[in-house]
């Protein structure tokens, strides 16, 4: 597996004639996966809003002109109730997100109890809590955490147009701490924040040049939320989005590439195109963290019409 992808090489891949690009993505996909299977994760916001970071895309930042109401950290029992429902709906992994810059010790105790409880249900666990040091990563690992989500979001060059309250290097440091603790890494980015093609190539090249590819690579289409600085960002078309997914699939062939946020506004045909480009994971359930996601019956119908199945099904 290569770990030395340059931005120019990724850009050349992304710019291939579309039939050539999809063919190469399909070859890469089939070398490691059954292309009819999709990994299904469910998201729950365990601590919503009031975040001190200034991520321009995010409705949970307290620094934007309008943001979601801030809630306290949820109770463990309530989280486990949601996890049971997610399992019944067919999820294989349960992802819990908190709007923190980084977790406090006492909060980490509660999150560890959530991880233990969710694991007991037979689900894979994932959390996203902001920046982590080595010790915090180890505590999560000891609680049985399977995946940690922490996105690079965009290219190193475009990053400071989007976030000023922490650096790209901070993110890379957290990823290294998570990796060293023996936790699987879930790391991707967002398309549609006003970045150019070379930034998209820069994001994929950075992800594909990490010492180990992230096991899970979420590619989010920006959900444009009123009151955030990116509320009026220019929309990205499904073909451009599929090109980014295909580049992720070709450069990180053994990773689960997730068609993450942004599905609510995507047609069934756009979904199909992105699956053909090599995506093999989605978030199911009618809500992401704070914004809508397709209803369960729509996803079930869509997968059935494509002859695709959850990875956990027989
Ligand atoms: N606070 C933690 C952090 O930022 O690391 C965890 C939660 S944060 C909401 C997780 C990820 O969701 C972000 O890194 C970003 O990639 C994605 N995200 C947030 N808002 C989004 C939006 N409006 N559209 C698409 N993706 C978004
Ligand atoms: C990821 O890459 N996408 C998810 C998950 N990781 C945590 C979050 C998407 C959030 C979309 C905006 C919202 O619902 O607040
Ligand atoms: Fe906070 Fe995470 Fe939203 Fe950034 S993306 S504002 S860190 S919740």
């Amino acid at each position: 597996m290569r770990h030395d992808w340059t931005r120019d090489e990724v850009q050349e891949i992304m710019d291939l004639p579309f039939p050539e690009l999809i063919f190469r993505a399909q070859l890469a996909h089939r070398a490691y996966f059954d292309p009819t299977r999709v990994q299904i994760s469910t998201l729950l916001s365990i601590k919503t809003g009031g975040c001190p970071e200034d991520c321009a895309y995010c409705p949970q930042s307290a620094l934007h002109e309008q943001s979601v109401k801030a809630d306290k950290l949820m109770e463990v029992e309530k989280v486990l109730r949601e996890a049971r429902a997610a399992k019944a709906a067919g999820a294989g992994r349960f992802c819990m997100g908190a709007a923190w810059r980084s977790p406090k010790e006492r909060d980490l105790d509660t999150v560890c109890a959530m991880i233990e409880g969710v694991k007991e249900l037979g689900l894979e666990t994932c959390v996203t809590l902001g920046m982590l040091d080595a010790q915090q990563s180890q505590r999560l690992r000891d609680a049985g955490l399977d995946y940690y989500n922490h996105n690079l979001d965009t290219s190193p060059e475009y990053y400071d147009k989007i976030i000023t309250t922490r650096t790209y290097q901070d993110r890379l440091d957290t990823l290294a701490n998570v990796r060293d603790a023996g936790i699987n890494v879930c790391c991707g980015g967002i398309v549609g924040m006003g970045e150019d093609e070379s930034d998209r190539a820069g994001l994929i090249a950075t992800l594909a040049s990490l010492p180990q590819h992230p096991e899970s690579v979420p590619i989010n289409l920006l959900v444009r939320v009123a009151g955030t600085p990116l509320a009026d960002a220019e929309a990205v078309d499904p073909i451009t989005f599929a090109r980014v997914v295909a580049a992720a699939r070709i450069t990180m062939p053994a990773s689960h590439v997730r068609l993450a946020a942004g599905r609510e506004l995507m047609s069934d045909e756009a979904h199909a195109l992105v699956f053909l480009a090599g995506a093999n994971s989605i978030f199911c359930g009618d809500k992401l963290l704070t914004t809508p996601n397709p209803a369960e019956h729509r996803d079930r119908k869509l997968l059935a019409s494509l002859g695709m199945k959850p990875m956990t099904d027989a």
Side-chain angles (χ1 to χ4, degrees), residues 9-303:
E9 281 177 308
V10 174
Q11 183 140 8
E12 258 173 51
I13 291 173
M14 261 173 30
D15 286 344
L16 282 169
F18 203 70
E20 193 61 46
L21 176 67
I22 297 296
F23 180 65
R24 285 192 52 185
Q26 286 275 312
L27 285 177
H29 196 168
R30 281 153 197 262
Y32 290 90
F33 293 101
D34 174 348
T36 68
R37 296 289 182 152
V38 227
Q39 190 277 328
I40 303 221
S41 293
T42 293
L43 267 177
L44 176 68
S45 181
I46 57 169
K47 157 67 183 88
T48 307
C51 186
E53 305 282 306
D54 70 351
C55 313
Y57 49 76
C58 186
Q60 302 199 69
S61 165
L63 302 173
H64 301 331
E65 136 202 343
Q66 210 178 308
S67 48
V68 296
K69 181 171 117 354
D71 274 340
K72 287 199 306 221
L73 180 59
M74 277 175 78
E75 283 162 22
V76 178
E77 253 326 300
K78 240 176 144 183
V79 171
L80 296 183
R81 226 176 298 145
E82 299 280 345
R84 275 181 220 110
K87 185 167 187 201
R93 188 179 309 162
F94 193 67
C95 310
M96 296 167 272
W100 289 325
R101 173 173 166 83
S102 60
K104 297 197 176 59
E105 286 314 294
R106 201 160 53 90
D107 292 333
L108 212 51
D109 293 339
T110 310
V111 174
C112 286
M114 291 172 184
I115 293 167
E116 283 160 12
V118 172
K119 263 196 96 75
E120 270 174 33
L121 300 174
L123 285 162
E124 289 182 320
T125 52
C126 177
V127 296
T128 176
L129 316 171
M131 293 189 282
L132 292 186
D133 62 26
Q135 205 197 340
Q136 292 171 319
S137 307
Q138 196 53 54
R139 279 195 64 193
L140 290 168
R141 179 64 207 139
D142 293 344
L145 183 67
D146 297 303
Y147 288 81
Y148 194 80
N149 166 247
H150 197 64
N151 290 339
L152 288 175
D153 281 345
T154 189
S155 68
E157 294 76 13
Y158 196 63
Y159 182 86
D160 63 6
K161 308 271 184 312
I162 301 298
I163 299 141
T164 69
T165 48
R166 62 182 169 195
T167 65
Y168 212 71
Q169 190 57 49
D170 288 334
R171 298 219 174 200
L172 292 167
D173 291 346
T174 292
L175 292 171
N177 291 333
V178 167
R179 185 54 90 195
D180 289 348
I183 302 168
N184 292 307
V185 171
C186 171
C187 181
I190 308 180
V191 175
M193 303 193 292
E195 74 285 344
D196 63 22
E197 206 190 335
S198 125
D199 293 309
R200 291 176 199 137
L203 166 69
I204 301 299
T206 310
L207 292 168
S209 302
L210 290 170
Q212 224 177 308
H213 294 164
E215 281 74 14
S216 180
V217 181
I219 307 293
N220 296 277
L221 181 63
L222 176 71
V223 181
R224 293 172 291 173
V225 184
T228 62
L230 291 176
D232 300 317
E234 201 178 319
V236 165
D237 66 276
I239 295 175
T240 303
F241 186 81
R243 285 182 175 280
V244 182
V245 168
R249 168 54 64 216
I250 292 164
T251 55
M252 295 171 276
S255 302
H256 288 84
V257 177
R258 181 174 306 127
L259 163 51
R263 297 202 297 115
E264 175 70 349
L265 298 179
M266 268 186 210
S267 68
D268 287 359
E269 293 85 345
H271 277 81
L273 198 62
V274 177
F275 289 136
L276 289 175
N280 63 346
S281 170
I282 50 174
F283 288 120
C284 281
D286 54 14
K287 207 162 147 199
L288 291 164
L289 291 172
T290 67
T291 64
N293 195 47
E296 199 191 318
H297 63 87
R298 180 184 166 200
D299 279 339
R300 204 167 317 123
K301 207 168 134 222
L302 172 67
L303 290 184

